[in-house]
Amino acid sequence: MATINDNYLKLKAGYLFPEIGRRVKAFAEANPEAPIIRLGIGDVTEPLPAACREAMVKAVEDMGSRDTFKGYGPEQGYEWLREKIAEHDFKSRGCDVDASEIFISDGSKCDCGNILDIFGNNNTIAVTDPVYPVYVDTNVMAGHTGDANENGEYGGLVYLPITAGNNFTAEIPTDKKVDLIYLCFPNNPTGATATKEHLQGWVNYAKANGSIIFFDAAYEAYITDPSLPHSIYEIEGARDCAIEFRSFSKNAGFTGTRCALTVVPKTLTGKAADGSDVEIWKLWNRRQSTKFNGVSYIVQRGAEAVYSEAGKAQIQALVNFYMENAAIIREKLTAAGIEVFGGENAPYVWVKTPHGLSSWDFFQKLLETCNVVGTPGSGFGAAGEGYFRISAFNSRENVEEAMRRIVEKFKV
């Protein structure tokens, strides 16, 4: 008799976004004329930049000639793309990151889960609350947790509440030691950012305790404050204690074409069962070489174009467009007396639910009375109860219309 991975049975009823999709689908089927505006999941809406499209078309043409055809590529990614990333994303900001330490992948979401393959089952793992659900659910699947309690918190995880009281930045533990630490800045879902001083505190903690930070920088392109770090490697000592995940999805619109990257410094080590030091880079390279065949040549050529002069200008225009949407959301909701956070260095606005509504109650009322979809804060963790995430990823027309409807129905 074939048996299953029982850890999957610990998972809550459904991953947050499919559950939202289920509710929206049911409402749409019952109300086929409803003009639904979706500001829930963080999927972009604007076309791929022209520079990326042109590079992809050229790459498709390359596949039509024996002389330029590409079959299996290097699992780590083509060197010409990794060199561009190292130069433009890291060395330009004073980060000591070599192209050989960059791994091209099909998504930072995938890498955030797959990285657990190379870490043991006896690590103490810290996540923020609220949190991007992938960090939690993949640890549940890997058997790193116990069962969930009535608040949806899993035994075996250390939850670090991020609230308005601490500016939505995780406080460093003082009463316990954690081994693996998930940090996401600019933060999903709250839109909060972390200063260099704050991240230096985490790096110092990690080095002192032999911990490793998983730093998700998927939204770094949306940082507008020049004093804020874009990479964990801008922090002294981070090469010895941090892995960074990045994506082309949110800056260049690659949600449908799939391209991302993970940085694993060659100076980073972990402990084997016998107490010896093991290079994390070698383990991740071995994992990727075994389980992953790389991102397509066509998509990597499109990603390379991100770093051309035309590509950089077009991507900045995209980022500016979405941040203008975020500013509209903040302005309209604030004027209506609704308390908001984020949306200044991130494409997400974190909303305090009006009239004392719970997160899911507000979701349902917003869907039914305004035909607008957002994301209930409690879906990101117990500390997200009473909050709601609104995404700036949509057309200007839809964002303005959604704000008009919300203000009309929920003005405080």
Side-chain angles (χ1 to χ4, degrees):
M1 175 69 72
T3 61
I4 63 167
N5 178 353
D6 280 350
N7 293 304
Y8 277 68
L9 303 181
K10 300 176 189 173
L11 293 167
K12 289 182 287 185
Y15 180 55
L16 172 61
F17 300 110
E19 173 61 17
I20 290 172
R22 184 191 67 79
R23 294 190 182 208
V24 174
K25 182 174 183 289
F27 177 80
E29 289 176 350
N31 302 272
E33 303 303 317
I36 297 174
I37 297 176
R38 301 168 191 268
L39 299 176
I41 66 172
D43 194 3
V44 296
T45 58
E46 303 308 295
L48 282 172
C52 299
R53 298 198 307 270
E54 291 162 6
M56 287 179 173
V57 169
K58 171 61 169 61
V60 170
E61 292 172 351
D62 289 346
M63 302 299 276
S65 166
R66 182 180 295 275
D67 293 336
T68 53
F69 173 80
K70 297 292 187 294
Y72 288 125
E75 292 91 348
Q76 195 176 343
Y78 286 100
E79 187 173 3
W80 37 260
L81 175 56
R82 292 185 285 112
E83 289 283 0
K84 291 281 176 60
I85 292 168
E87 176 187 352
H88 292 275
D89 287 342
F90 295 102
K91 292 176 182 177
S92 67
R93 299 194 64 83
C95 302
D96 181 17
V97 172
D98 188 76
S100 65
E101 299 173 315
I102 296 169
F103 293 78
I104 306 302
S105 78
D106 57 350
S108 58
K109 174 182 178 180
C110 306
D111 286 355
C112 284
N114 292 336
I115 198 74
L116 296 175
D117 282 4
I118 64 172
F119 289 94
N121 293 327
N122 57 347
N123 290 300
T124 301
I125 299 162
V127 297
T128 60
D129 180 10
V131 64
Y132 180 41
V134 170
Y135 309 155
V136 172
D137 288 0
T138 52
N139 273 287
V140 176
M141 293 171 176
H144 297 166
T145 76
D147 293 323
N149 63 20
E150 63 277 5
N151 294 321
E153 298 169 330
Y154 286 93
L157 294 183
V158 175
Y159 289 86
L160 307 172
I162 53 176
T163 66
N166 60 20
N167 294 317
F168 298 102
T169 55
E171 295 180 3
I172 296 171
T174 57
D175 59 342
K176 59 178 72 71
K177 175 182 176 295
V178 295
D179 303 305
L180 301 177
I181 305 155
Y182 288 84
L183 296 178
C184 175
F185 291 106
N187 185 254
N188 177 17
T190 68
T193 53
T195 64
K196 288 184 178 180
E197 292 74 20
H198 182 73
L199 292 182
Q200 187 69 65
W202 272 111
V203 167
N204 294 345
Y205 173 89
K207 293 187 68 175
N209 290 280
S211 311
I212 291 180
I213 297 169
F214 295 156
F215 191 76
D216 187 347
Y219 300 95
E220 61 80 26
Y222 291 87
I223 294 174
T224 57
D225 184 340
S227 72
L228 295 174
H230 288 239
S231 168
I232 191 71
Y233 302 117
E234 294 179 52
I235 310 303
E236 184 178 355
R239 282 184 54 85
D240 299 324
C241 64
I243 294 171
E244 182 164 309
F245 306 95
R246 289 200 179 198
S247 173
F248 291 96
S249 286
K250 301 306 178 0
N251 62 339
F254 275 49
T255 54
T257 44
R258 312 308 301 148
C259 196
L261 63 115
T262 292
V263 180
V264 182
K266 292 185 175 179
T267 50
L268 183 65
T269 62
K271 291 290 184 184
D274 63 4
S276 62
D277 290 329
V278 178
E279 294 179 30
I280 300 297
W281 185 95
K282 288 183 177 179
L283 299 181
W284 185 240
N285 186 56
R286 183 69 170 84
R287 189 268 174 205
Q288 293 297 83
S289 297
T290 301
K291 290 190 173 185
F292 185 57
N293 270 340
V295 174
S296 79
Y297 168 74
I298 296 164
V299 169
Q300 288 192 62
R301 280 300 186 193
E304 181 191 29
V306 165
Y307 302 102
S308 67
E309 288 305 310
K312 286 190 285 188
Q314 290 161 14
I315 283 164
Q316 190 58 57
L318 268 181
V319 169
N320 291 346
F321 174 81
Y322 290 127
M323 287 308 295
E324 288 164 6
N325 280 351
I328 291 169
I329 295 169
R330 282 184 56 88
E331 176 190 348
K332 297 298 184 182
L333 296 184
T334 299
I338 298 173
E339 190 173 13
V340 300
F341 305 89
E344 294 176 309
N345 292 284
Y348 297 125
V349 179
W350 191 237
V351 180
K352 182 66 176 172
T353 55
H355 309 303
L357 291 168
S358 73
S359 296
W360 277 106
D361 283 346
F362 184 58
F363 169 89
Q364 204 65 36
K365 285 185 178 294
L366 199 65
L367 176 61
E368 293 172 359
T369 64
C370 300
N371 302 151
V372 173
V373 179
T375 311
S378 59
F380 297 103
E385 179 53 68
Y387 289 93
F388 196 80
R389 192 190 75 176
I390 295 181
S391 168
F393 293 124
N394 213 306
S395 68
R396 183 63 43 77
E397 179 183 5
N398 279 348
V399 167
E400 290 178 339
E401 173 60 17
M403 291 307 103
R404 185 193 66 77
R405 296 180 194 175
I406 294 172
V407 169
E408 181 181 296
K409 297 291 184 180
F410 291 96
K411 186 172 183 179
V412 177

